[in-house]
């Protein structure tokens, strides 16, 4: 991918997946605005990118509100003259089951993931529309937003909303030549280390051990860098016709997620009473109920 001449913002790019995205974009020729809530972390990311021959600057701020979103876009324009790509990666976790989740747990996660994606995308879309030559919004979703996940009321809801953003904004921005897609990455990060079934793989990778084939294929689980190529592709001219999609990436697997759609229907003249629904449910629309949550396969026996 040749992204020479393009300018990108990657939120939450001081470490983990965000840093991998920023490094990949810079390696492909894009000039990058790195963002993190911690100044030292953001500066370290910029140094890592520039040491490899890339071009990057840091803009420190907590994603969520309009002020930081507009500052990110303003920095891209002041430093590099334009904005072509936005990657909304910033995120936090506050995992608890429903009855133990506080207002602050809920609001913090929704503010960063959902509101932060909205405010940053709005600021970026305004700049791209003003430039008049298209652009790319790459929104970062999660399997939790596609399937739900135990203990993640806030995170799952926010990520489901981000998938809906991609579908809606792809329609709204089509005439401006701005594509909008959600990526659904899985990788060994501090976030996935909190998942019991994946923790061992994260620890092994940090110890320098190779990721097992089972993890890379059956779980689609690998390093952050394994997920970065999809971002560079979606930022490129090669992806100009791709929009409104939810695309999975991780380990050795690239996948396309379906959009929610009606899977069964039944009809009754005059409509449905509660008694009629109860009588018909198990043999009509309820015959094959939909599953919830990620069903991770068991590793092979040693």
């Amino acid at each position: 991918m040749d992204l020479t001449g393009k300018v990108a913002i990657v939120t939450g790019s001081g470490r983990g997946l965000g840093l991998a995205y920023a490094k990949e974009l810079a390696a492909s020729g894009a000039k990058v605005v790195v963002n993190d809530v911690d100044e030292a972390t953001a500066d370290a990311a910029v140094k890592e990118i520039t040491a490899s021959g890339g071009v990057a600057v840091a803009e420190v701020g907590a994603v969520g509100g309009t002020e930081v979103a507009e500052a990110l876009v303003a920095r891209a324009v002041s430093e590099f003259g334009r904005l072509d790509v936005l990657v909304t990666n910033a995120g936090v976790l506050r995992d608890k089951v429903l009855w133990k989740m506080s207002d602050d747990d809920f609001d913090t996660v929704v503010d960063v993931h959902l509101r932060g994606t909205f405010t940053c995308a709005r600021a970026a879309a305004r700049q791209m529309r003003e430039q008049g030559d298209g652009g790319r919004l790459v929104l970062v979703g999660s399997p939790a937003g596609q399937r739900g996940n135990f203990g993640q009321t806030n995170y799952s809801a926010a990520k489901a909303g981000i998938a809906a953003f991609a579908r809606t904004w792809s329609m709204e921005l089509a005439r401006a030549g701005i594509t909008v897609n959600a990526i659904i990455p899985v990788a060994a990060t501090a976030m996935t280390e909190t998942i019991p079934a994946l923790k061992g793989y994260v620890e092994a990778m940090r110890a320098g051990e190779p990721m097992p084939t089972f993890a890379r294929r059956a779980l689609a689980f690998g390093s952050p860098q394994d997920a970065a190529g999809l971002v560079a592709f979606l930022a490129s001219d090669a992806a100009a016709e791709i929009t409104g999609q939810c695309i999975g990436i991780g380990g050795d697997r690239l996948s396309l997620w379906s959009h929610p759609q009606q899977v069964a229907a039944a009809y009754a003249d005059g409509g449905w009473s509660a008694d009629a629904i109860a009588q018909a449910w198990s043999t009509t629309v309820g015959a094959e109920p939909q599953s919830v949550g990620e069903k991770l396969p068991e590793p092979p026996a040693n």
Side-chain angles (χ1 to χ4, degrees):
M1 290 296 122
D2 183 3
L3 302 180
T4 302
K6 295 188 184 297
V7 178
I9 296 168
V10 184
T11 68
S13 48
R15 54 170 64 91
L17 279 166
L19 178 57
Y21 303 151
K23 289 168 63 177
E24 183 76 13
L25 290 168
S28 299
K31 298 172 182 177
V32 181
V33 176
V34 169
N35 160 257
D36 198 272
V37 70
D38 180 74
E39 184 175 2
T41 300
D43 289 343
V46 168
K47 289 179 182 178
E48 187 172 348
I49 291 169
T50 56
S52 298
V55 178
V57 296
E59 182 65 25
V60 178
V63 166
T66 296
E67 184 177 351
V68 169
E70 293 183 347
L72 284 165
V73 173
R75 186 68 186 280
V77 175
S78 66
E79 290 282 347
F80 305 126
R82 59 182 295 108
L83 176 63
D84 302 282
V85 181
L86 170 70
V87 184
T88 59
N89 173 76
V92 295
L93 290 178
R94 297 290 187 274
D95 293 354
K96 287 187 179 72
V97 290
L98 172 60
W99 56 95
K100 293 183 178 180
M101 184 169 289
S102 69
D103 289 355
D104 184 63
D105 293 330
F106 183 85
D107 291 343
T108 297
V109 170
V110 170
D111 186 63
V112 176
H113 287 276
L114 193 64
R115 190 165 186 264
T117 296
F118 160 67
T119 56
C120 289
R122 180 179 61 185
R126 287 171 174 169
Q127 176 63 31
M128 292 172 182
R129 282 170 52 81
E130 183 179 326
Q131 291 169 183
D133 49 7
R136 303 284 186 270
L137 302 184
V138 181
L139 317 181
V140 179
S142 167
Q146 306 296 105
R147 300 283 301 166
N149 195 37
F150 188 96
Q152 291 194 314
T153 290
N154 43 14
Y155 182 75
S156 296
K159 290 302 190 183
I162 287 169
F165 281 165
R167 293 188 284 267
T168 298
W169 295 342
S170 69
M171 294 183 282
E172 294 180 348
L173 294 170
R175 289 186 63 184
I178 301 169
T179 66
V180 190
N181 294 286
I183 64 170
I184 314 299
V186 181
T189 66
M191 280 191 173
T192 51
E193 191 175 15
T194 65
I195 302 171
L198 301 178
K199 182 177 181 179
Y201 296 118
V202 179
E203 292 174 342
M205 190 190 76
R206 286 178 178 163
E209 299 176 19
M211 192 71 72
T213 299
F214 169 79
R216 294 188 59 84
R217 297 216 163 210
L219 303 180
F221 195 65
S223 70
Q225 194 58 39
D226 288 321
L230 176 59
V231 172
F233 167 67
L234 291 174
S236 75
D237 294 341
E241 304 303 318
I242 302 170
T243 194
Q245 304 303 300
C246 292
I247 306 167
I249 187 74
D252 294 335
R253 188 167 74 195
L254 175 70
S255 60
L256 184 67
W257 285 85
S258 67
H259 296 320
Q261 59 183 339
Q262 183 174 281
V263 296
Y267 301 89
D269 291 339
W272 289 92
S273 68
D275 287 341
I277 294 171
Q279 183 176 359
W281 180 262
S282 63
T283 58
T284 56
V285 296
E288 295 184 22
Q290 301 294 290
S291 64
V292 298
E294 281 274 84
K295 310 300 181 186
L296 298 178
E298 292 293 329
N302 293 329

